Amino acid sequence: MNKLETLKKWIDECDSIVFFGGAGVSTESGVPDFRSKDGLYNQHDVKFDAYRPEYLLSHSCLRDHPEVFYEFYRQKMDTRNIEPDFAHCFLADLEKKGKLTAVVTQNIDGLHQKAGSRNVYEIHGTTGRNYCARCGRPFPADYIFESEEKIPRCQCGGMVRCDVTLYEEQLPEEAVEGALRAIENADMLIIGGTSLQVYPAASYIHYFSGKHLVVINREKLNISLDPENDLEINDSIGKVFKAVKALYC
């Protein structure tokens, strides 16, 4: 039995699967990742070259250079016209079939929900929500992108910001608690499209104690696997899921 057949067999056997994903899940939709050679942090723009890449999405930048923050955010983080790729749709279908209990995502693009997934824990927040930093009033996803103000404001005068966890900020407690609870209760954890380099999110996989741990990533990860019960496939997640789906035909 090859790796793809093994993965299909385990999916069929398990009824509490959790998917833990990163930027590689959305790259096939055209959303750039952050750290690869073609990633967001390596896309040179003279407007932003004076700043460290991580600084442009930090709390410090929002506080000290808000005009720079919002210009970068509007140019680089607008995924409203991006459509889900095969991986997003495959996972949504697994949820509909009662196999997948949760998606835990480091992505902020909202593509899992757009594909139809309902139980999604966005541990780094989302560009799909905005709120006033002063009074807490919620604003729709379009507000920052379509505002004619360089620094979008609420009626109270407060700055309207994205509901994204920026560098130097704590992860959203409710999402983290839900993600950890889902991972703890899973009988199968699929890690896909992430290098597991971003902490503390990368440490969450240690809460898993179920039957099967599956890693799907283009590059091999430095992670301890049990050869009898675990699996690592080094390929794009979309390609792997397409091959698994073909086994059902």
Side-chain angles (χ1 to χ4, degrees):
M1 186 180 298
N2 63 33
K3 289 185 176 182
L4 294 172
E5 291 171 334
T6 299
L7 177 56
K8 175 186 177 297
K9 178 175 181 291
W10 288 353
I11 290 174
D12 291 341
E13 292 174 350
C14 294
D15 293 313
S16 182
I17 302 170
V18 170
F19 178 81
F20 181 96
V25 181
S26 293
T27 51
E28 292 175 44
S29 285
V31 180
D33 61 13
F34 287 86
R35 292 173 176 81
S36 71
K37 64 181 179 67
D38 298 319
L40 194 64
Y41 290 164
N42 290 310
Q43 295 177 4
H44 296 292
D45 188 322
V46 293
K47 292 181 181 179
F48 308 118
D49 282 350
Y51 305 94
R52 290 181 297 105
E54 290 85 355
Y55 178 76
L56 292 164
L57 287 174
S58 71
H59 178 82
S60 293
C61 184
L62 178 63
R63 179 193 63 210
D64 300 332
H65 299 96
E67 290 189 7
V68 173
F69 175 89
Y70 283 107
E71 184 172 6
F72 182 82
Y73 184 83
R74 286 174 173 128
Q75 284 189 26
K76 306 295 186 180
M77 310 306 291
D78 187 358
T79 59
R80 291 174 298 166
N81 295 320
I82 302 293
E83 294 300 320
D85 56 34
F86 188 89
H88 297 111
C89 297
F90 182 85
L91 293 166
D93 189 53
L94 282 183
E95 184 184 32
K96 290 175 184 175
K97 291 177 179 176
K99 308 295 289 183
L100 187 82
T101 56
V103 169
V104 179
T105 181
Q106 300 175 85
N107 296 338
I108 59 176
D109 51 42
L111 291 177
H112 284 292
Q113 293 94 325
K114 203 170 184 178
S117 290
R118 299 172 66 98
N119 196 26
V120 181
Y121 296 105
E122 297 171 305
I123 55 176
H124 290 158
T126 176
T127 60
R129 294 188 302 269
N130 302 296
Y131 65 93
C132 174
R134 178 184 293 173
C135 72
R137 177 183 175 181
F139 285 81
D142 293 338
Y143 190 81
I144 290 177
F145 296 116
E146 296 184 356
S147 174
E148 295 181 358
E149 299 177 296
K150 289 185 177 181
I151 302 174
R153 297 284 179 183
C154 174
Q155 285 84 340
C156 75
M159 184 166 57
V160 177
R161 58 158 292 176
C162 53
D163 196 4
V164 171
T165 306
L166 306 176
Y167 288 103
E168 306 164 346
E169 295 181 336
Q170 292 186 336
L171 300 186
E173 184 176 341
E174 185 176 347
V176 169
E177 289 178 354
L180 294 180
R181 189 164 53 247
I183 292 171
E184 284 179 323
N185 293 329
D187 56 10
M188 180 175 177
L189 177 63
I190 302 176
I191 300 170
T194 175
S195 61
L196 294 180
Q197 292 181 4
V198 178
Y199 284 83
S203 67
Y204 296 169
I205 66 169
H206 299 303
Y207 286 78
F208 175 70
S209 59
K211 297 177 184 176
H212 303 298
L213 177 61
V214 176
V215 177
I216 306 171
N217 196 58
R218 290 182 183 273
E219 298 177 358
K220 189 173 180 62
L221 300 185
N222 182 23
I223 185 171
S224 179
L225 298 174
D226 176 353
E228 293 296 320
N229 298 302
D230 302 334
L231 190 64
E232 182 167 13
I233 303 175
N234 297 126
D235 210 333
S236 77
I237 191 164
K239 183 177 178 181
V240 171
F241 283 160
K242 285 178 183 176
V244 170
K245 185 171 183 178
L247 294 175
Y248 287 95
C249 300

